[in-house]
């Protein structure tokens, strides 16, 4: 700690470090992590385990804001808990195989507490630029009252995830619809739709589960199925479908495992195309590997579709004031429309490196998607859920640890004695001009 104060004193009295405008600034010895969701928490915990301090910036006022505010009440983890745990901390033994939303949030709170992760809340990152002259990242955030803060760091970890913003498709006439329109980010429960005809647009896991929830609350849901989709039972042969698939992939090629999954699905569900759910030509695991498109794990929706409680419709042609016309020419009246059209990354809005403007995902495909250039990293952009986030967090922490130890060793030589950098941050001080200065 004494050596850090000595270094801070040198910086404060060095004439090369001049005030950089009126914006206050923080020098961060370790990485800046953007995002306090599961990916950001996992990255911070893994770094701390390696002895590397970090600071986590979060635009909301809590951790895991997507899970807190933009998920429906009945949500449970779609995969068994052992595939969703973050590094170094399993779920409690008394949790069910598929923890509820509230249980998962409690787990994340406990995770942050266990590893001493205290994000800086209500700091929306506006820009992040790499200063090539000195080899540092300048990360600018904006608070609730418009106040700016700049963080200067050697490493930047993007953990804002694939689901930062809701995707709202352009549908002809949607602005004329007289009923309620909401995205699943706003949907909480079907209780407010009792007795109403509701059109759910999108047949992924969220669309399927929202349709089931509406049905259970005595609404009359219809489901728009625009593309082919793989629907698999959540469990088969007494095991989770995902766990069984991962085990089979250790011994068999992906196409044989896909064939097995499809045969079992046919035995359990029958031919899904008979009630409007056509399967893709590529198997579910191969499709996931190539495109990132996740198969639907059925939790009871298919039975409601078979019974006619949930109707299937093709793509929407146009929307009227109280009706919807589909591409097959059929017109039907609805009281509400729910868009289960997914989410997207917003990273390109504040970072011009590493990420594609088209879809907001890393330009490098998995498994190389976690590492960029000049100390830039990504966690949680694998299209492999929480399991992928944990993989990324471990890789990123291991990579940064190597540089951290090397730079700490060089700094020890420069100052003239050996020491260990502690996970402590410099307090806020006027931003120094790094234009003509470099650190060893």
């Amino acid at each position: 700690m004494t050596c850090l104060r000595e270094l801070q004193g040198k910086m404060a009295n060095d004439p090369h470090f001049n005030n950089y405008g009126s914006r206050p600034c923080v020098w961060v010895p370790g990485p800046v992590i953007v995002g306090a969701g599961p990916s950001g928490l996992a990255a911070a915990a893994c770094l701390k385990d390696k002895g590397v301090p970090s600071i986590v910036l979060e635009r909301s006022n809590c951790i895991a804001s997507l899970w807190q505010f933009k998920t429906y009440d009945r949500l449970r983890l779609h995969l068994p808990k052992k595939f969703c745990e973050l590094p170094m901390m399993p779920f409690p033994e008394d949790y069910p195989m598929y923890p509820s939303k509230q249980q998962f949030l409690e787990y994340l709170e406990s995770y942050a507490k266990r590893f001493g992760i205290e994000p800086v809340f209500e700091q929306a990152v506006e820009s992040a630029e790499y200063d090539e002259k000195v080899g540092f990242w300048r990360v600018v955030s904006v608070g609730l009252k418009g106040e700016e803060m700049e963080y200067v760091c050697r490493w930047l970890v993007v953990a804002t995830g694939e689901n930062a913003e809701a995707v709202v498709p352009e549908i002809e006439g949607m602005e004329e619809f007289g009923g309620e329109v909401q995205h699943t980010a706003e949907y909480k429960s079907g209780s407010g739709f009792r007795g109403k005809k509701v059109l759910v647009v999108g047949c992924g896991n969220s669309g399927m589960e929202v349709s089931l929830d509406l049905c259970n609350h005595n609404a009359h849901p219809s489901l728009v199925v625009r593309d082919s989709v793989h629907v698999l039972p959540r469990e088969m042969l007494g095991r989770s479908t995902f766990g069984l698939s991962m085990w089979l992939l250790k011994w068999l090629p992906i196409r044989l495992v896909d064939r097995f999954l499809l045969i079992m699905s046919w035995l359990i569900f029958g031919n899904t195309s008979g009630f409007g759910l056509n399967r893709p030509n590529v198997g579910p695991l191969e499709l996931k590997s190539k495109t990132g498109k996740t198969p639907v794990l059925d939790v009871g929706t298919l039975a409601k579709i078979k019974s006619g409680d949930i109707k299937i419709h093709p793509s929407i042609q146009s929307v009227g004031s109280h009706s919807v016309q589909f591409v097959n020419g059929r017109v039907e009246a609805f009281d509400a429309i729910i868009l289960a059209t997914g989410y997207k990354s917003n990273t390109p809005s504040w970072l011009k490196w590493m990420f594609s403007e088209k879809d907001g995902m890393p330009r490098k495909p998995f498994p190389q998607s976690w590492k960029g250039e000049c100390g830039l990293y990504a966690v949680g952009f694998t299209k492999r859920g929480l399991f992928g986030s944990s993989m990324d967090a471990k890789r990123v922490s291991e990579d940064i640890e190597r540089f951290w130890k090397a730079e700490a060793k060089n700094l020890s030589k420069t100052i003239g004695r050996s020491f260990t950098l502690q996970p402590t941050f410099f307090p806020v001080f006027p931003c120094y001009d790094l234009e003509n200065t470099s650190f060893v």
Side-chain angles (χ1 to χ4, degrees):
M1 181 63 185
T2 301
C3 293
L4 287 178
R5 287 175 178 164
E6 290 177 3
L7 183 57
Q8 181 185 354
K10 288 183 179 182
M11 293 170 65
N13 295 297
D14 193 324
H16 291 293
F17 289 87
N18 301 311
N19 285 346
Y20 191 81
S22 58
R23 178 192 299 149
C25 178
V26 176
W27 157 251
V28 183
V32 166
I33 301 171
V34 183
S39 298
L41 297 179
C46 288
L47 285 164
K48 189 166 189 178
D49 184 61
K50 303 290 185 184
V52 182
S54 65
I55 186 169
V56 181
L57 304 181
E58 168 56 43
R59 65 180 178 177
S60 187
N61 61 356
C62 63
I63 65 169
S65 60
L66 176 67
W67 282 85
Q68 299 264 22
F69 305 127
K70 297 184 178 182
T71 51
Y72 41 90
D73 295 341
R74 65 160 287 142
L75 179 64
R76 289 182 173 271
L77 295 182
H78 291 125
L79 302 182
K81 61 183 181 181
K82 70 176 182 179
F83 297 109
C84 298
E85 61 190 32
L86 300 185
M88 301 176 289
M89 182 173 153
F91 281 92
E93 291 185 3
D94 60 346
Y95 272 28
M97 180 181 291
Y98 301 97
S100 67
K101 164 186 170 178
Q102 189 56 43
Q103 288 173 324
F104 183 57
L105 288 171
E106 291 172 359
Y107 167 78
L108 293 179
E109 293 284 358
S110 299
Y111 190 86
K113 184 176 181 180
R114 174 174 175 175
F115 294 101
I117 303 169
E118 299 179 353
V120 182
F121 293 117
E122 298 177 342
Q123 289 293 310
V125 173
E126 188 176 68
S127 67
E129 297 180 356
Y130 184 69
D131 191 330
E132 296 183 1
K133 293 183 179 180
V134 294
F136 289 98
W137 285 92
R138 293 180 180 273
V139 182
V140 178
S141 67
V142 181
L144 287 179
K145 298 180 180 179
E147 68 278 14
E148 290 189 344
M149 179 74 72
E150 182 170 5
Y151 298 85
V152 180
C153 58
R154 173 68 181 83
W155 303 280
L156 174 61
V157 180
V158 181
T160 48
E162 307 160 358
N163 303 318
E165 293 183 359
V167 173
V168 179
E170 293 184 5
I171 301 175
E172 182 182 345
M174 182 66 85
E175 66 279 359
E176 299 176 8
F177 186 68
E180 183 176 359
V181 178
Q182 63 177 222
H183 193 275
T184 47
E186 306 165 278
Y187 179 89
K188 296 301 178 186
S189 167
S191 58
F193 297 93
R194 194 179 307 275
K196 294 182 179 181
K197 293 187 66 177
V198 184
L199 182 64
V200 180
V201 182
C203 61
N205 279 296
S206 293
M208 289 282 196
E209 195 160 353
V210 165
S211 297
L212 178 62
D213 188 56
L214 288 165
C215 205
N216 290 340
H217 282 90
N218 296 319
H220 307 290
S222 293
L223 183 64
V224 171
V225 180
R226 296 173 293 176
D227 303 308
S228 56
V229 58
H230 280 300
V231 182
L232 305 176
R234 188 168 67 170
E235 297 177 353
M236 55 177 66
L237 301 179
R239 299 180 61 175
S240 75
T241 298
F242 182 81
L244 181 59
S245 300
M246 294 301 100
W247 181 78
L248 289 173
L249 285 172
K250 294 179 181 180
W251 315 100
L252 301 172
I254 190 169
R255 290 193 177 183
L256 283 181
V257 178
D258 271 341
R259 187 174 299 177
F260 168 79
L261 293 176
L262 292 175
I263 291 172
M264 291 300 300
S265 297
W266 182 82
L267 290 173
I268 295 170
F269 296 143
N271 184 3
T272 58
S273 63
F275 35 91
L277 300 174
N278 296 314
R279 291 191 181 275
N281 295 325
V282 180
L285 298 183
E286 187 176 357
L287 187 66
K288 174 68 175 176
S289 177
K290 289 182 176 180
T291 68
K293 187 174 182 179
T294 303
V296 172
L297 295 176
D298 180 61
V299 292
T301 308
L302 218 54
K304 295 294 185 180
I305 293 174
K306 286 182 178 181
S307 67
D309 293 316
I310 299 174
K311 297 180 179 179
I312 300 295
H313 290 286
S315 297
I316 296 173
Q317 181 71 44
S318 62
V319 177
S321 59
H322 294 286
S323 63
V324 175
Q325 181 176 355
F326 301 97
V327 293
N328 60 2
R330 183 171 179 176
V331 178
E332 192 166 333
F334 290 97
D335 301 304
I337 297 175
I338 296 175
L339 301 172
T341 46
Y343 297 84
K344 64 180 179 180
S345 161
N346 68 354
T347 305
S349 67
W350 56 271
L351 178 65
K352 305 306 178 186
W353 290 53
M354 187 177 177
F355 290 81
S356 167
E357 289 280 352
K358 183 179 179 180
D359 60 3
M361 298 294 287
R363 293 190 182 96
K364 293 181 181 178
F366 178 83
Q368 283 79 38
S369 57
W370 62 277
K371 186 174 182 179
E373 299 177 345
C374 303
L376 179 61
Y377 298 89
V379 176
F381 293 87
T382 64
K383 293 187 177 180
R384 284 160 175 78
L386 296 166
F387 184 73
S389 294
S390 294
M391 291 172 56
D392 281 347
K394 293 174 183 177
R395 288 169 174 165
V396 168
S397 64
E398 290 168 358
D399 200 60
I400 292 178
E401 180 193 24
R402 292 191 297 107
F403 293 104
W404 175 262
K405 288 182 176 180
E407 293 193 5
K409 184 176 181 181
N410 288 336
L411 189 57
S412 298
K413 292 179 180 178
T414 301
I415 294 179
R417 57 192 175 90
S418 178
F419 69 99
T420 301
L421 288 175
Q422 299 297 322
T424 305
F425 304 113
F426 294 121
V428 176
F429 51 87
C431 188
Y432 299 107
D433 184 1
L434 301 180
E435 293 289 330
N436 302 305
T437 308
S438 62
F439 296 110
V440 178

